[in-house]
Amino acid sequence: MPKSAKDIPAFQWYPLNLAAKFSGLSEAMVNYLCRSGLVIPTFRLKRGRGVTRRYSFGDIVALKLVGKLCKAGVSPLRLKKGLLRLREHHPEITLTALPATHVVTDGQDIYLRKKGEPLERLI
């Protein structure tokens, strides 16, 4: 883990405005998802007010996935519950390291499909 912001090459991270733009979410929504713990930025050097979050490419992919699920009718709170349940059964899985070929929703439930396996209901 980098000790300071100077230790992270600028080409490896994105500031909030670009993360929001690339993920298709508003800056306020990205901030909300990070404050709620649904998406945790990779380059989170310290906590506190006024600290800049720095997002990796994987974080932006995760934000885009969360945005698509929210647009499909899944609430962020329900999504967080599903992710926590997923981590109970598969602690090695994080939102940015999701070993799934498909994440599917019907607006009520979220399903995960790993390669060669049937759908697994998360919530």
Side-chain angles (χ1 to χ4, degrees):
M1 186 75 164
K3 293 181 181 177
S4 73
K6 293 176 185 173
D7 295 338
I8 305 169
F11 63 86
Q12 290 184 352
W13 59 267
Y14 302 89
L16 171 64
N17 64 330
L18 289 179
K21 179 181 176 181
F22 296 150
S23 66
L25 299 171
S26 68
E27 290 182 22
M29 185 62 165
V30 172
N31 277 326
Y32 169 76
L33 294 172
C34 291
R35 278 194 318 271
S36 68
L38 187 56
V39 176
I40 301 168
T42 301
F43 301 118
R44 187 180 51 150
L45 300 173
K46 14 179 195 173
R47 294 180 55 130
R49 202 169 185 81
V51 175
T52 304
R53 293 185 188 102
R54 295 161 192 252
Y55 302 88
S56 69
F57 178 76
D59 298 335
I60 294 171
V61 171
L63 288 166
K64 194 164 188 78
L65 172 64
V66 169
K68 284 186 177 192
L69 289 169
C70 289
K71 287 176 185 171
V74 179
S75 75
L77 178 61
R78 221 171 135 72
L79 191 54
K80 184 175 181 179
K81 286 180 184 177
L83 186 58
L84 290 173
R85 186 169 299 157
L86 175 66
R87 287 178 181 158
E88 284 174 13
H89 298 288
H90 305 283
E92 74 282 2
I93 294 176
T94 64
L95 192 55
T96 56
L98 196 62
T101 55
H102 295 88
V103 176
V104 183
T105 183
D106 59 3
Q108 287 285 62
D109 298 315
I110 300 172
Y111 301 90
L112 177 77
R113 180 171 180 228
K114 296 179 187 175
K115 191 171 185 166
E117 295 183 19
L119 286 175
E120 178 182 347
R121 182 174 177 250
L122 300 180
I123 57 171

